[in-house]
Amino acid sequence: LAIALFASGCDRPPPASLLKTTTFETAREHGRFVRLGKLDTFAIALGSGPDIILLHGVPSSAYTWRFVIEPLAADFRVHALDLPGFGFSDKPPGGLYTPTWWAKIVSDYMDAEGVEKAVIVGISTVGEFATEMAVLFPDKTDRLVLLAPSGLPADNPGEVPIGIRIARWPVVGPLLSSLPIRPIFASG
């Protein structure tokens, strides 16, 4: 109870103010928020040429791609997203957080940015929904690149990952939501 009371009193700066002070220079200089329905989704878009969409693992953010964004941008239009629930993007409590939901978010981002077709790159646990993106939206997927994929299509499509299910528990969810995680990562 003491932890919950302490956490509820912690100040959580809004993502836009954190973006201004992040040490992730590429995010600060080239990142912005794209409104997708009711969600503000953070994206870095850099370069010109064929489109590549870089999707981070869980838990992570576009920061995963910090060493490859600029080199790839020499030949491609690179999009590195913070998926909803991670990084600077909104973390909707009612979000589905399933591979199908995230694939739809990526498709919506492509529509909002006028990206007709892209190479979809997923790393780690995002292999499952990057694959889902290719299956659900083959006309938008030029190629699919999976880097060390630990999440591939499940026997139960649409199943919510265990970490997200735990975060939805009545006491655990509100407690996790109130923790000042961003400042901790910002100081690292």
Side-chain angles (χ1 to χ4, degrees):
L1 181 61
I3 291 172
L5 289 173
F6 169 76
S8 67
C10 294
D11 183 32
R12 293 187 312 177
S17 68
L18 290 170
L19 179 59
K20 293 176 187 174
T21 60
T22 183
T23 57
F24 184 14
E25 189 175 327
T26 305
R28 223 178 32 249
E29 293 179 8
H30 303 285
R32 61 192 175 82
F33 292 92
V34 178
R35 189 77 170 167
L36 304 175
K38 295 181 179 180
L39 299 177
D40 282 330
T41 303
F42 178 76
I44 298 168
L46 189 62
S48 61
D51 290 286
I52 295 179
I53 297 179
L54 303 174
L55 303 172
H56 61 79
V58 174
S60 194
S61 68
Y63 186 75
T64 298
W65 305 105
R66 66 193 175 280
F67 298 120
V68 300
I69 293 171
E70 291 188 35
L72 283 173
D75 297 306
F76 301 94
R77 177 78 170 151
V78 179
H79 307 263
L81 307 181
D82 278 350
L83 298 167
F86 301 95
F88 295 115
S89 289
D90 282 347
K91 293 150 186 62
L96 297 177
Y97 299 100
T98 63
T100 302
W101 184 71
W102 275 315
K104 175 79 168 90
I105 295 289
V106 174
S107 174
D108 290 348
Y109 170 81
M110 292 174 73
D111 291 343
E113 295 298 298
V115 176
E116 292 182 25
K117 196 167 217 163
V119 174
I120 306 296
V121 181
I123 190 169
S124 186
T125 51
V126 173
E128 180 176 357
F129 86 83
T131 303
E132 191 82 7
M133 175 74 194
V135 169
L136 293 176
F137 305 101
D139 54 321
K140 292 183 175 185
T141 306
D142 184 30
R143 291 185 178 94
L144 177 64
V145 179
L146 303 176
L147 304 170
S150 61
L152 293 175
D155 292 335
N156 301 321
E159 182 178 347
V160 177
I162 185 70
I164 301 296
R165 289 194 309 251
I166 290 171
R168 289 181 175 171
W169 291 354
V171 174
V172 176
L175 178 61
L176 291 174
S177 302
S178 65
L179 292 176
I181 300 297
R182 290 181 196 269
I184 293 169
F185 284 104
S187 67

